[in-house]
Amino acid sequence: MRFLLRIVIYVCVIVVFVGGSGAIGYSRTMQSEMSGIDKPSSLLQEVKIPEYDPRKPTVAVILGDSVTEVIDFLVPYGMFSRTGAYNVFAVASDRYIKSLTGGLDLLPHYSFKEMDDLLGKSPDIIVIPNIPIMEDKKVHPVQDWIIKNSGNKTILLSICNGAETLAETGLLNGKSAATHWGDMNRLEKKYPEVHWQRDQRYVPDGNIVSSAGVTSGIDAVLYVISQQLGEAVAVKIAEKMNYPTYQFVHNLKMVPFSIEPKDAAYILNFAYQWNKKQAGVLLYNGIEETALGSIFDSYSASSTTKTMTISSSEQPVVTKYHLNLQARYQMSNAPRLDKMIIAGTQAKTLAAETVNQWKQLGKNTELLFIHSDSPKRFVMEAPLEDLSKQEDVLTAHFAAKRLEYRANHLSLDGKPFSLDAFGIPLLIGALSVGVAFYIDRRFIRKKRMTKSK
């Protein structure tokens, strides 16, 4: 009986120490990743709104009231804008500052009501990104607006787990749909009326098009563009993006991903990567939306790096296609950084003045022109390869898998695995064994020896 008690004590102490510290680390990481700003802005008069052309169809890209998945929002926004054939606007339930995952903040162009008043009808396309925090009070305005504008003339395009927001409206009942592979099991149980497709990059069904994980949204957007503007336009957009897997636009089938033992590196990063790198992300006028998104959805989403937006002033930074970004730090109050990332294929030209301002402050932070040194590559590739060098191969491999990026030519070099992510729980485990041994000797064995006397 005492032997069994001793085993229970050892197991309980190890679980409490290792599991408890991991749970605290995981919770803190999630709070940081999903941290948002939801407040009125004093800079509304500074917001640059793209000119509305009533002759063009309108694309409304939704921002959630809590936080919105960064690439799910930025990539469709940038791609539809790149065609020059659409009015493309960032819309939300109100004009408060909204946040994207990883710590990127922006100001919507219009509220839902303002969008309705401007158009006098439903938008031609509504893009529904993943809104990770499904809080009733904060998600209902989004769902209500989608339902209000869900007529057959409007294309509803869900990106990644934006399918959950769409499924919550009931509009997917009886229809086929795709979502991120990591959410598939959960959504199959939660929404059994939806015919979930595991092996397709995107699923068109009537006026609804849903995409699988993150970069699968690129294929879905290209599909919609090809249907509305023609195949040649879609091919041209893919070529300008250096997107290497256009074949998925025609061949929707894929071998679905599933959880593998090596994917534990991702969870361990969240739980035990306590000494995270600090990377600044320099915001400058004209920055490319897709390139910017690639930074947050590789470094920050891997839970190895805290990404912090930095600009030269408190004024909004306007992207290539007129999104209004608000940096969380200015150069004058920027924290200590391990490196400063300058995104965009034309960064060395467009960001030259901003970079000089940073240098004039006497900062000796490493400057990483992540895209302009390889402008002929798809923007996701260089960040994933740099992440592998900065951290380890397992982390970068899962980052690509999480993004559903299926190009096989990435060069992932670096340590085979993270010493922090794997070493810290082992160290805590060893310490917990020591604590359990002390409890055993101090209370269990000593008591037994006392009785034997």
Side-chain angles (χ1 to χ4, degrees):
M1 187 66 180
R2 290 188 181 279
F3 177 76
L4 180 60
L5 177 60
R6 291 165 63 193
I7 294 296
V8 170
I9 288 174
Y10 274 83
V11 171
C12 288
V13 170
I14 292 172
V15 169
V16 168
F17 275 65
V18 179
S21 59
I24 292 171
Y26 190 93
S27 176
R28 287 179 176 175
T29 299
M30 286 299 294
Q31 288 176 6
S32 176
E33 174 68 10
M34 298 298 173
S35 66
I37 295 175
D38 187 15
K39 64 180 182 181
S41 173
S42 61
L43 300 171
L44 287 179
Q45 68 274 14
E46 305 292 337
V47 173
K48 302 293 191 297
I49 299 177
E51 182 179 353
Y52 171 62
D53 185 343
R55 296 168 298 178
K56 295 180 180 180
T58 296
V59 179
V61 189
I62 290 177
L63 286 163
D65 281 341
S66 50
V67 66
T68 304
E69 163 62 35
V70 60
I71 277 191
D72 290 1
F73 176 85
L74 289 180
V75 168
Y77 181 93
M79 291 178 67
F80 281 117
S81 298
R82 192 186 285 263
T83 66
Y86 298 95
N87 302 300
V88 187
F89 301 114
V91 297
S93 61
D94 52 49
R95 297 287 297 281
Y96 289 16
I97 295 176
K98 303 302 177 187
S99 297
L100 305 179
T101 53
L104 182 63
D105 306 312
L106 68 158
L107 294 120
H109 294 131
Y110 293 107
S111 68
F112 292 152
K113 183 180 184 306
E114 290 170 337
M115 184 91 275
D116 292 339
D117 292 343
L118 174 70
L119 299 179
K121 62 182 184 66
S122 297
D124 298 273
I125 301 171
I126 296 176
V127 179
I128 307 163
N130 176 24
I131 302 172
I133 303 175
M134 296 288 286
E135 298 175 4
D136 287 347
K137 291 182 180 179
K138 293 199 171 189
V139 145
H140 278 168
V142 171
Q143 294 169 350
D144 292 344
W145 192 71
I146 292 170
I147 294 171
K148 176 183 176 182
N149 293 281
S150 61
N152 291 333
K153 291 184 178 180
T154 296
I155 294 175
L156 301 178
L157 172 57
S158 72
I159 309 295
C160 189
N161 204 37
E164 182 169 10
T165 300
L166 193 52
E168 192 69 20
T169 67
L171 295 171
L172 280 180
N173 290 350
K175 293 182 177 291
S176 296
T179 191
H180 192 283
W181 60 270
D183 294 290
M184 186 64 76
N185 290 339
R186 180 176 63 85
L187 296 191
E188 283 179 334
K189 295 176 182 178
K190 188 175 181 180
Y191 305 102
E193 302 89 353
V194 181
H195 307 306
W196 298 103
Q197 305 298 311
R198 290 176 174 267
D199 62 347
Q200 292 186 205
R201 293 280 285 184
Y202 65 92
V203 176
D205 192 334
N207 69 318
I208 296 177
V209 180
S210 55
S211 74
V214 197
T215 59
S216 298
I218 296 174
D219 304 320
V221 173
L222 289 172
Y223 166 77
V224 172
I225 290 173
S226 70
Q227 294 296 299
Q228 295 202 336
L229 305 180
E231 181 78 14
V233 176
V235 169
K236 186 176 181 180
I237 295 299
E239 289 175 346
K240 285 184 177 180
M241 295 174 63
N242 299 301
Y243 184 55
T245 54
Y246 186 87
Q247 70 269 17
F248 282 123
V249 177
H250 295 295
N251 182 12
L252 285 62
K253 293 292 183 178
M254 63 181 182
V255 178
F257 286 134
S258 60
I259 294 294
E260 303 171 84
K262 62 184 179 180
D263 297 338
Y266 179 69
I267 301 299
L268 292 175
N269 278 337
F270 264 75
Y272 299 107
Q273 273 274 22
W274 297 340
N275 185 29
K276 300 185 190 303
K277 313 295 187 302
Q278 295 205 133
V281 182
L282 189 65
L283 303 183
Y284 58 90
N285 289 324
I287 192 170
E288 302 160 48
E289 293 83 0
T290 305
L292 184 61
S294 72
I295 303 304
F296 296 95
D297 241 339
S298 50
Y299 296 96
S300 179
S302 69
S303 187
T304 63
T305 309
K306 183 176 182 180
T307 46
M308 293 167 280
T309 52
I310 297 171
S311 65
S312 58
S313 74
E314 294 183 356
Q315 297 304 306
V317 172
V318 183
T319 68
K320 183 175 183 178
Y321 294 113
H322 311 295
L323 285 175
N324 297 265
L325 309 178
Q326 182 65 54
R328 294 193 180 184
Y329 296 93
Q330 279 67 58
M331 291 181 182
S332 58
N333 65 359
R336 181 196 63 80
L337 301 173
D338 293 294
K339 60 184 171 184
M340 175 74 87
I341 302 174
I342 303 101
T345 57
Q346 300 178 36
K348 288 187 176 179
T349 300
L350 296 178
E353 181 178 348
T354 309
V355 170
N356 283 336
Q357 288 178 287
W358 174 257
K359 289 180 178 178
Q360 287 171 8
L361 293 174
K363 306 288 187 179
N364 57 0
T365 308
E366 173 194 358
L367 299 178
L368 179 59
F369 289 86
I370 190 75
H371 299 115
S372 55
D373 288 337
S374 52
K376 298 299 183 182
R377 302 186 70 189
F378 179 54
V379 292
M380 287 305 312
E381 295 178 354
L384 288 171
E385 291 179 353
D386 186 66
L387 178 66
S388 184
K389 294 175 183 176
Q390 173 188 298
E391 299 298 330
D392 59 272
V393 173
L394 279 183
T395 293
H397 181 273
F398 187 84
K401 181 176 178 178
R402 174 189 163 274
L403 290 166
E404 278 272 15
Y405 189 56
R406 292 177 177 266
N408 297 319
H409 58 270
L410 290 177
S411 177
L412 301 180
D413 300 319
K415 296 178 296 186
F417 59 87
S418 168
L419 296 177
D420 284 353
F422 286 87
I424 289 177
L426 288 175
L427 178 60
I428 295 173
L431 292 173
S432 64
V433 169
V435 172
F437 179 75
Y438 171 79
I439 294 173
D440 183 16
R441 291 294 299 269
R442 179 70 176 81
F443 298 102
I444 307 300
R445 293 188 182 185
K446 184 177 180 181
K447 189 175 181 181
R448 183 180 65 183
M449 292 173 63
T450 301
K451 282 188 175 182
S452 66
K453 292 180 180 179

